[in-house]
Amino acid sequence: MKKLCLVFLCVLLSTSVMSVFAGGANEKPDSNVIELRFLAMAQAAYSEQNVNDMTADFMKANPNIKIYTEFVPYEELRNKTLLAYGSNNPYDAVLIDDIWYAEYVDNNMLIDITEDIPKSYKNGVLAGGWNFTTKNDKIVGLPWFLDTMYLFFNEDMLKKAGYDHQPTSLEEMVEMGRTIKTKGIVEYPFVFSLAQAEALICVYSNFLEAFNGSFQDDEGNYIIDTSGLEALNFLLAIKDEGLLNPNSAEYLEEDVRRVFSSGDAAFTMNWAYMYALAVDPAESSLTKNSVGIMVLPGAKGIKASAAMSGSMGLSVLNKTEHPAEALAYIKYLSSKEVQDTYSNLQLPVWEASYDDPAIAAGREMLVGAAKKAFSIMNVRPSDPNYQEASAIFQQYIQLALFGDLSPEEALSMAVNKVREIQ
Amino acid sequence: MTNPPVRHYSLLIAPMVIIMGAVIGWPLIRTLMLSFTDATMMGLNPISFVGLSNFQKAFSDSGFISALKISLIFAVSVVTIEMMLGTTVALLVNEPFKGRNILRALLILPWAIPTVVNAIMWRLIYNPEYGALNSLLTQMGLIDSYISWLGNPDKALVAIIFADVWKNFSLVALIALASLQSLSSAQMEAAKIDGANAIQRFGYITLPHIIPSLQVALVLRIIEAVKVFDIIYIMTKGGPANKTRSGSIFVYQEAFTNSRMGSGAAFAVIMVSLIVILILFYMRILMKKK
């Protein structure tokens, strides 16, 4: 009897295991339907719902193509793309941050679509979009959304301090902050996202651009130990003067948004998404008229404005078995018609859209700033090892901000360390 | 009634052994194999055997050494505090008083909270703008202005240690309390009659009685604390300026951020070896006592 029970248990276990592996064996895929997998980012704009709606419309127009969309947080997007690419089940099309393009191209992961982009398409997209999707003179992606860290300012505080205009230079911005603090309008006029994360590099690189500095020279050698000193000294100066919120070293973008929206800062830097939230009474204590947005002004006598790209593009991966269909899909997602339709939270990449009153309605200041930023914005280093280099810069810039190292020592040590990994 | 033959036990345990081998044994062997190669995350290029160079790199990498130190500082601190606090709390709730049962039930709550939730909760408590800790300390007059606990290189690790202690001391307390339940009251009465004071009773009767249980708690907590990842990753991601980057976070960054699976695996093997050494050390002490 006991033996019978044991045999029964073994048979039960075996059938259970086999049923797992046999699952789906009866499903016969339609051989006429092409299946594609698309990996995107879970975010506010374009939201998952937006992307799924766009995809549904594409599939309706192309009944022979079925798209499976997947969404992951930004922090997981690169790792998931790379891990899947190394597996037997890679994605056909993916969303790529501008700082990852060099690495993907270096590993020959992206399809060259230069010949597939008509001149009218190329000319129609804002120039800043092609800066990061073009590598070695080849187009390897379509700009999907363009963004930069804008300077947000509290107009009410500026007025109280006696200013009726936006800052025209970094020096004037600091002077305004000084007056705001002296008059007791707010304790810390500036708040930036300087936690050990990519956000720190985004803030720093905008100031680097404002001082006309650069991470790399034309040969790709890192030179911020010399060209990046003014930007770091600038951040240190406003910190030492008590103008910068000391909690900045812990803050990411959402933290600075909350501080600014609570009326506890006169200036901050953040992505475009903050504008809609800063003027939303449910999310902010500020009125619409008190929220100002502009491109970061440059240092006096050096340049008028500065912007560093924080954009993303769509690309077709080399391992896809259906490159034409995958390209058709990403072209549809980035088409002007689709982008204009879903432009309520994400501005289009098409130049003509910015002259459309319907797109600008209710956010003229943001649209004006965006149009200016996208025509001048530069990109962060084009380096296959960027992720690692960025982590090193984050560490050493923080060490300088904490006073553990002088700015010269910090940037010099960082550059030496980056050279080691190169 | 006769016991079933031994081979039947083996047959019944076989599925568990097979599953454990598949989900633990194979990944461990694969990690060990990877640690001798230059494998990358995408696996695009042919993998080459590099011998011990990944291990040599590990011991000359100041970042990894620093991360190991942080893991050890964290482990020694949290385990020491948790053992002392847990034992003290167990002794307190073992005494008869009104509401003791409710307190015992509440004691399990911190340990039952998932680490992710605990980390997010403490991030809110430490928030430099509206955090409860700053508010409390300001009202008590202990600080003049709000402090950035997680943004300060000198305070961040201490803040994380405190958050981990709050979550895990209750495990030690519960294990110690379970052991105290089996302590004979007659033995304590006899000691009292013999004139032993409270400290002598604790030193000669209570402590020797609960030590075997505390040793189990100790080894569990050491293993968990040395390989700490989640609470730090959620609270600071290893910052500020890498001052809270533990060994496990370093391994993750090497393998996934830097795309170097080979050296990431070597660092992971070193971490596992460190934990195994600690366990063997503990086992040796235990065997000697037996």
Side-chain angles (χ1 to χ4, degrees):
Chain A
M1 183 63 191
K2 282 174 188 167
K3 278 185 181 174
L4 196 67
C5 282
L6 274 172
V7 170
F8 177 73
L9 268 174
C10 290
V11 170
L12 194 68
L13 188 70
S14 310
T15 48
S16 312
V17 171
M18 281 163 69
S19 67
V20 171
F21 291 104
N26 293 331
E27 291 170 19
K28 288 181 183 169
D30 184 348
S31 57
N32 294 322
V33 173
I34 292 168
E35 295 186 339
L36 300 177
R37 294 173 70 221
F38 173 58
L39 181 65
M41 181 171 72
Q43 56 165 353
Y46 303 107
S47 68
E48 291 180 38
Q49 188 60 50
N50 288 163
V51 177
N52 284 333
D53 289 346
M54 294 173 194
T55 304
D57 290 341
F58 175 79
M59 289 194 290
K60 205 172 172 186
N62 300 273
N64 64 321
I65 302 176
K66 182 160 179 57
I67 314 273
Y68 295 96
T69 54
E70 280 181 50
F71 301 90
V72 290
Y74 172 82
E75 292 77 15
E76 304 304 323
L77 187 58
R78 171 183 166 270
N79 288 358
K80 195 163 172 69
T81 303
L82 296 179
L83 283 168
Y85 196 79
S87 75
N88 295 325
N89 195 20
Y91 293 96
D92 298 281
V94 290
L95 177 63
I96 305 175
D97 194 359
D98 58 8
I99 52 176
W100 304 331
Y101 266 98
E103 181 183 17
Y104 289 14
V105 168
D106 194 55
N107 287 307
N108 196 27
M109 289 168 60
L110 307 179
I111 280 183
D112 175 7
I113 54 171
T114 314
E115 301 300 323
D116 301 296
I117 307 299
K119 204 171 179 184
S120 58
Y121 191 111
K122 203 174 171 203
N123 293 337
V125 171
L126 285 156
W130 300 113
N131 282 350
F132 66 95
T133 53
T134 305
K135 296 288 168 196
N136 308 322
D137 298 326
K138 289 174 185 167
I139 298 174
V140 288
L142 298 175
W144 199 35
F145 63 79
L146 304 178
D147 211 345
T148 185
M149 275 197 161
Y150 298 91
L151 180 70
F152 288 81
F153 56 93
N154 187 315
E155 290 206 48
D156 288 346
M157 288 185 188
L158 287 189
K159 279 178 192 156
K160 273 185 199 167
Y163 297 100
D164 60 356
H165 62 279
Q166 302 176 355
T168 54
S169 66
L170 285 187
E171 289 76 5
E172 189 182 21
M173 182 179 79
V174 173
E175 190 52 47
M176 288 172 163
R178 210 171 272 140
T179 309
I180 287 168
K181 186 176 174 80
T182 311
K183 290 192 173 179
I185 297 167
V186 72
E187 189 177 4
Y188 299 113
F190 297 97
V191 62
F192 297 130
S193 47
L194 300 175
Q196 191 179 346
E198 189 57 30
L200 183 156
I201 299 297
C202 293
V203 171
Y204 172 77
S205 61
N206 274 283
F207 286 109
L208 183 71
E209 188 68 11
F211 284 102
N212 209 22
S214 177
F215 278 96
Q216 295 169 296
D217 62 15
D218 292 341
E219 277 79 46
N221 303 308
Y222 281 93
I223 52 168
I224 65 163
D225 48 342
T226 49
S227 81
L229 268 174
E230 281 174 302
L232 187 51
N233 279 326
F234 173 83
L235 287 172
L236 264 171
I238 58 171
K239 176 185 169 276
D240 293 343
E241 203 178 329
L243 300 175
L244 177 66
N245 188 320
N247 302 330
S248 293
E250 185 183 334
Y251 283 159
L252 292 171
E253 291 94 329
E254 273 298 90
D255 302 304
V256 300
R257 178 179 76 79
R258 275 191 285 267
V259 173
F260 183 83
S261 298
S262 308
D264 291 329
F267 297 97
T268 191
M269 292 183 71
N270 213 330
W271 309 104
Y273 85 96
M274 179 174 137
Y275 186 74
L277 297 172
V279 299
D280 180 355
E283 290 280 342
S284 171
S285 64
L286 306 176
T287 61
K288 191 175 179 185
N289 290 335
S290 65
V291 179
I293 181 170
M294 63 180 288
V295 182
L296 182 72
K300 198 179 269 179
I302 295 180
K303 59 164 58 174
S305 305
M308 193 64 88
S309 170
S311 311
M312 296 185 97
L314 299 170
S315 294
V316 177
L317 292 179
N318 240 333
K319 281 190 173 179
T320 181
E321 291 175 4
H322 309 288
E325 289 78 11
L327 179 61
Y329 174 59
I330 63 168
K331 271 172 115 171
Y332 176 79
L333 292 184
S334 53
S335 65
K336 184 172 182 302
E337 294 68 31
V338 171
Q339 293 222 317
D340 285 351
T341 306
Y342 293 92
S343 65
N344 55 334
L345 280 175
Q346 187 67 62
L347 292 172
V349 298
W350 295 86
E351 193 163 5
S353 301
Y354 290 78
D355 298 324
D356 182 349
I359 300 285
R363 49 179 177 177
E364 290 78 6
M365 216 175 186
L366 167 66
V367 171
K371 194 175 179 185
K372 184 177 179 182
F374 298 160
S375 61
I376 60 164
M377 70 184 179
N378 211 333
V379 289
R380 278 166 282 162
S382 181
D383 178 357
N385 297 318
Y386 177 75
Q387 290 293 114
E388 197 173 358
S390 171
I392 292 168
F393 289 130
Q394 290 163 30
Q395 182 193 357
Y396 282 93
I397 290 172
Q398 279 213 324
L399 285 171
L401 291 173
F402 293 133
D404 292 349
L405 293 173
S406 70
E408 290 83 1
E409 285 172 332
L411 292 180
S412 171
M413 287 167 80
V415 167
N416 285 336
K417 207 148 189 184
V418 170
R419 280 180 192 144
E420 279 175 29
I421 61 161
Q422 282 183 314
Chain B
M1 194 172 164
T2 55
N3 287 329
V6 173
R7 66 173 184 279
H8 287 177
Y9 289 132
S10 310
L11 199 61
L12 285 171
I13 209 169
M16 194 270 286
V17 172
I18 292 167
I19 291 168
M20 293 290 275
V23 301
I24 297 175
W26 172 239
L28 205 61
I29 293 166
R30 181 94 179 111
T31 304
L32 197 61
M33 285 159 64
L34 273 178
S35 69
F36 297 106
T37 69
D38 62 354
T40 62
M41 185 151 64
M42 294 82 82
L44 295 173
N45 305 316
I47 296 173
S48 305
F49 177 76
V50 295
L52 292 170
S53 66
N54 285 334
F55 292 91
Q56 284 170 343
K57 179 188 162 191
F59 289 111
S60 60
D61 189 324
S62 58
F64 183 57
I65 303 293
S66 160
L68 274 186
K69 276 184 194 165
I70 288 167
S71 286
L72 288 175
I73 291 169
F74 178 85
V76 169
S77 308
V78 297
V79 172
T80 307
I81 301 170
E82 283 164 17
M83 294 306 290
M84 288 163 66
L85 189 62
T87 308
T88 309
V89 170
L91 289 168
L92 285 174
V93 295
N94 193 44
E95 294 299 316
F97 61 89
K98 205 175 176 185
R100 182 177 73 165
N101 290 340
I102 295 170
L103 201 62
R104 283 182 180 179
L106 288 176
L107 195 58
I108 202 169
L109 268 182
W111 186 64
I113 291 174
T115 308
V116 174
V117 177
N118 182 54
I120 293 169
M121 187 181 80
W122 278 96
R123 270 191 65 165
L124 293 173
I125 291 170
Y126 288 138
N127 188 289
E129 296 290 330
Y130 52 78
L133 182 66
N134 276 319
S135 176
L136 179 74
L137 295 178
T138 310
Q139 284 172 28
M140 290 168 73
L142 295 174
I143 55 172
D144 298 328
S145 58
Y146 281 21
I147 291 171
S148 170
W149 299 98
L150 299 176
N152 185 315
D154 300 324
K155 297 185 177 78
L157 189 61
V158 178
I160 295 171
I161 287 171
F162 195 81
D164 190 80
V165 166
W166 184 84
K167 176 174 162 47
N168 288 311
F169 86 92
S170 55
L171 171 70
V172 180
L174 288 169
I175 291 173
L177 184 62
S179 181
L180 285 170
Q181 303 290 296
S182 63
L183 185 62
S184 158
S185 55
Q187 203 177 352
M188 294 301 270
E189 286 302 319
K192 272 184 192 172
I193 291 164
D194 289 343
N197 61 27
I199 294 170
Q200 286 170 324
R201 289 200 300 276
F202 176 75
Y204 291 109
I205 301 172
T206 312
L207 194 59
H209 181 80
I210 63 171
I211 271 184
S213 304
L214 288 179
Q215 281 174 328
V216 174
L218 181 74
V219 76
L220 287 175
R221 287 303 305 133
I222 286 175
I223 293 169
E224 285 294 319
V226 172
K227 65 186 176 84
V228 62
F229 179 90
D230 39 15
I231 192 167
I232 296 181
Y233 195 75
I234 291 161
M235 289 181 77
T236 62
K237 281 197 163 59
N242 287 348
K243 299 288 184 187
T244 63
R245 184 170 65 168
S246 67
S248 296
I249 291 177
F250 189 93
V251 168
Y252 171 80
Q253 289 176 341
E254 181 70 4
F256 295 101
T257 308
N258 305 340
S259 275
R260 288 192 286 265
M261 283 288 175
S263 52
F267 296 160
V269 168
I270 294 169
M271 289 287 295
V272 172
S273 307
L274 190 70
I275 293 168
V276 169
I277 289 167
L278 288 170
I279 294 169
L280 289 176
F281 181 67
Y282 158 76
M283 296 292 280
R284 202 176 155 195
I285 294 171
L286 207 65
M287 295 303 280
K288 266 186 182 174
K289 281 192 173 174
K290 278 188 178 174

